[in-house]
Amino acid sequence: MQSDTYFSSTQNSPPLKTNALSQTVGIAYIGNVFFGEVVNEGREYFNYRIDRYDNLSSFNTHLSQSSMVDLPYVLLMEMQDKDEFHVFNQVKEIRENALTSGIIIILLSSSNKTELHQRALEAKANDIYFKPFNTELIFERINFLIKFKLLKP
């Protein structure tokens, strides 16, 4: 796992805190194909702590050793043609686990296939975005989903 902290030089508001123990919103990013495109461009929009995992296996290892305090608030998952099945199964497993069911899950894919939209809905992912990515939209959506989640009783 690599941890990268990004702070905006253009934003005047303090980081959005998710609980009393966190300094910034934690995002787990799984994959490395789109990382530079999504994260480097997105760093100017909001303040997030981003922990990067090369694959699902390394994220699952981290997840199995985590407490509630260590869980990410948002999960950005890359999805390649060869691993779509595994990604959707991972999303379903996260949703079925009482500790992880509230994590916001956003999928990123290079292939815009109609069936991926349906499968993402069935797996209960919050969103799916296709290449070319509108990074500003992705991070605005993350911010909205976090604020909505914090307001929800």
Side-chain angles (χ1 to χ4, degrees):
M1 171 188 70
Q2 296 177 355
S3 184
D4 303 299
T5 304
Y6 295 97
F7 295 100
S8 169
S9 59
T10 59
Q11 186 168 355
N12 296 325
S13 62
L16 179 63
K17 293 186 179 182
T18 56
N19 63 43
L21 300 174
S22 68
Q23 295 301 309
T24 56
V25 171
I27 296 177
Y29 187 100
I30 300 173
N32 50 29
V33 176
F34 311 133
F35 184 78
E37 181 180 347
V38 174
V39 174
N40 287 338
E41 291 178 20
R43 66 185 283 175
E44 63 191 56
Y45 301 113
F46 300 103
N47 298 319
Y48 297 114
R49 186 192 80 247
I50 300 175
D51 298 324
R52 184 168 48 122
Y53 303 87
D54 289 330
N55 52 48
L56 286 172
S57 163
S58 62
F59 175 71
N60 285 332
T61 300
H62 170 75
L63 202 58
S64 68
Q65 300 167 354
S66 296
S67 69
M68 276 183 59
V69 176
D70 300 327
L71 292 176
Y73 221 66
V74 178
L75 183 58
L76 281 170
M77 296 175 72
E78 290 182 5
M79 187 169 50
Q80 307 299 323
D81 288 335
K82 63 186 182 314
D83 64 0
E84 290 173 1
F85 176 78
H86 297 294
V87 169
F88 287 121
N89 280 342
Q90 178 73 36
V91 172
K92 287 178 185 176
E93 287 176 20
I94 289 169
R95 291 294 183 233
E96 291 170 357
N97 182 322
L99 290 176
T100 60
S101 63
I103 294 175
I104 296 165
I105 301 173
I106 297 177
L107 305 176
L108 305 169
S109 177
S110 59
S111 59
N112 189 352
K113 297 187 242 174
T114 308
E115 66 266 12
L116 290 181
H117 288 276
Q118 183 61 33
R119 291 179 68 195
L121 285 171
E122 290 169 2
K124 297 185 181 169
N126 294 86
D127 276 322
I128 184 167
Y129 291 95
F130 301 98
K131 196 169 172 104
F133 303 111
N134 181 336
T135 305
E136 182 178 4
L137 179 65
I138 292 171
F139 281 89
E140 284 179 5
R141 179 70 173 156
I142 288 171
N143 198 41
F144 169 79
L145 290 169
I146 290 170
K147 285 181 179 179
F148 182 75
K149 183 176 177 180
L150 292 173
L151 293 174
K152 216 165 55 169

